[in-house]
Amino acid sequence: MTSRDPKSLITIARASGEAAETEPLDLGARVRELRKARDWTLEHAANQAGLARSTLSKIENGQMSPTYEALKKLAVGLQISVPQLFTQPQRDQVNGRLTVTKTGQGSAHATTTYEHELLADSLTRKQMLPYRARVRARSMDEFEGWVRHDGEEFLYVLTGVVRLYTEFYEPIEMRRGDSAYYDAAMGHNVISLSDEDATILWVTSLS
């Protein structure tokens, strides 16, 4: 494969989206944060959970480790599940992320078989890699073997007619509006059947 094949693009995208190492959870701080997010006093939260005020205070200050029964009471009082008590809050997460890629303004990466246009290229830590591809190939002979990589993949035909080849299934002819979802670890290639190069949208999972 060339250095610009889909597999290498996905490898680059994964490398740029490495998740930061998770810090150990402070249960007391987590409980306090959940209580304050509801604008509850210590006494009100204790009443809701059916615990003594002093017990809740000790839990929040790390002065005692709650029993499982106490954890269940806390969860019920806070109207969450027990596992959510141990879920690290996403303090540094930016909510409502948005990026727009205008037509033709994606990051271009050409190969002998495809012309890729990476979409949402400026967004880091993505869970998906979307890209538009112009399919140049007209025969499987133009590929140096199967493309395969980790994750799952969604393919949607935008224009033209293509044939999807996969390692374990018969070739499938697909037209505008047709789509396929498959395990990307299975070898796969796409060729154009129409006179003009077909265009497709690919979305690959990165997690």
Side-chain angles (χ1 to χ4, degrees), residues 111-131:
T111 74
T112 56
T113 50
Y114 304 114
E115 287 183 15
H116 299 295
E117 182 187 2
L118 271 65
L119 309 174
D121 196 32
S122 63
L123 209 59
T124 61
R125 301 187 186 280
K126 294 190 290 287
Q127 299 300 309
M128 301 178 292
L129 176 65
Y131 53 104

Side-chain angles (χ1 to χ4, degrees), residues 112-113 137-145 165 189 191:
T112 56
T113 50
R138 292 299 193 279
S139 167
M140 280 288 286
D141 295 335
E142 298 178 49
F143 295 91
E144 299 176 15
Y165 288 89
N189 290 321
I191 68 168

